[in-house]
Amino acid sequence: MMPISVAPMPAAAPPQREAVRHGSVNCSSCAMRNVCMPCGMSEEDFARLDELILTSRKVRRGEVLYRTGDPFQSIYAIKAGSFKTVVTLRDGREQITGFHIVGEPLGMDGICNEQHTCDAIALEDSVLCIIPFRVLESLCRELRPMQRHVHRLMSGEIIRESGLMMLLGSMCAEERVSAFLLNISQRLQARRFSGTEFNLRMTREEMGSFLGLKLETVSRMLSKFQKEKLIDVQGKLIRILDADGLRRV
Amino acid sequence: MMPISVAPMPAAAPPQREAVRHGSVNCSSCAMRNVCMPCGMSEEDFARLDELILTSRKVRRGEVLYRTGDPFQSIYAIKAGSFKTVVTLRDGREQITGFHIVGEPLGMDGICNEQHTCDAIALEDSVLCIIPFRVLESLCRELRPMQRHVHRLMSGEIIRESGLMMLLGSMCAEERVSAFLLNISQRLQARRFSGTEFNLRMTREEMGSFLGLKLETVSRMLSKFQKEKLIDVQGKLIRILDADGLRRV
DNA sequence: CGCTGGATTGACTTGCGTCAACATACGTGG
DNA sequence: CCACGTATGTTGACGCAAGTCAATCCAGCG
């Protein structure tokens, strides 16, 4: 795996495979601005921001963004594509702790110990904004809306995970799969994508790992929902036919 | 186990039911100062802190500190005692998402939406420091070590939960119970309590809810570990006889 | 066009849940 | 301080949801 280059390159720098810096990477004109940035910021504040968040990075499908133990330097905002985060036990067993889609933050696990506690791997070719955390911290001390936004992002992650614990701790296989589909649907919708028809970027095995189920069980539940006319499944393409029915499962 | 008295009561202070404010509640002289506060703060910084964090609160066993939906105003530091946090599903099923002991923070789930997303209930008579979040935010914008500390606390919570997901998603009953015991042991030890002999404040059912198991299963696993001479169980009193053995489970 | 990784489906197994009986600890009021 | 009633905890017998194993199907890609 490549180390992540974060520091802005001087103007004369040759083109790089990894992090790139150019004028088009800025927040004030980003399509994701509203999902990514706090409201209550003036144009002036945005100008400040553009000076600080300078690099973006492409990650190809299957490529590792960061690994457990990597020194923590930046958090990331997913501009395009999607990722999975994976935790590994000593004995080699691994579990996916999250799928992360466009507009969502990534990497906040690293803040606590200055190093990452999971692996982040692209599920498809993706693009990220790299936000150097030290810079972000300074910014938070100057701009109150930014401070609040960062706190919300972190707290949001805490809530997301406790919802997951609920799922893993007290739902049966059928409920887990339906909750998963509804969750993906709702997050896509929040990002103005279709919430009724979407492509799952992960395999059945990855879904299973995330949901605490075996891939066969995931597959059986999807077939079951299809038989019940709640969804339409064509491999990775899912169409939700009866969201309420799914919710009632 | 005796409740741990942390702040001395001034002789003349009238007894209070809820939040109390008096000079003796301060961070610079608190026994938990090192677990609770960032290092790198000057005595001067601590003096600032003492002005801002003014109140403590007693909560009796079984009493609710905050409930799902309550407006979020403060985070808490547990000075003495312990708490459980509980998430409830629409249909009434509930799951315990955490046990929180002396020296640990509580309430950060509320930051995201300005309201709490779980119930926090005392497992025994407990004492908390109340830290008004708006005040803490200001403080973070002024004191860099404090800012970093708060970020670490939040990130620590994210990591804690992803460990839990690992447990719930990929461990069998036996492993869950042993991981739980080792985790409690390690946290007590970090707070300078005995890590080899301790009183569980929660019931088997509560343990089960947390671990995604039924109370009977928890009980069976504890009996099994006792038979294997890994632990000694006397109701809620646990003595760890062979921590390495437990780790190997 | 055939190979490979992923998905589906069926048959069988098993770990944990369920139900039930009994034991023990705990708190409250006499 | 004791007695009783209720909470909580333990243990056993049995059932079922999900795991395991295996055969087959399918799609994407070189």
Side-chain angles (χ1 to χ4, degrees), chain A residues 8-62:
Chain A
M9 303 300 293
Q16 297 241 307
R17 269 195 46 247
E18 294 287 335
V20 292
R21 172 187 179 152
H22 47 65
S24 73
V25 179
N26 63 47
C27 297
S28 50
S29 68
C30 178
M32 290 280 106
R33 164 173 164 170
N34 290 318
V35 286
C36 197
M37 285 296 128
C39 51
M41 282 188 36
S42 65
E43 289 304 319
E44 212 174 298
D45 292 340
F46 266 110
R48 298 275 322 275
L49 200 58
D50 288 343
E51 283 168 39
L52 296 166
I53 295 166
L54 297 154
T55 55
S56 79
R57 181 176 161 190
K58 287 185 204 224
V59 184
R60 327 212 96 243
R61 180 195 151 101

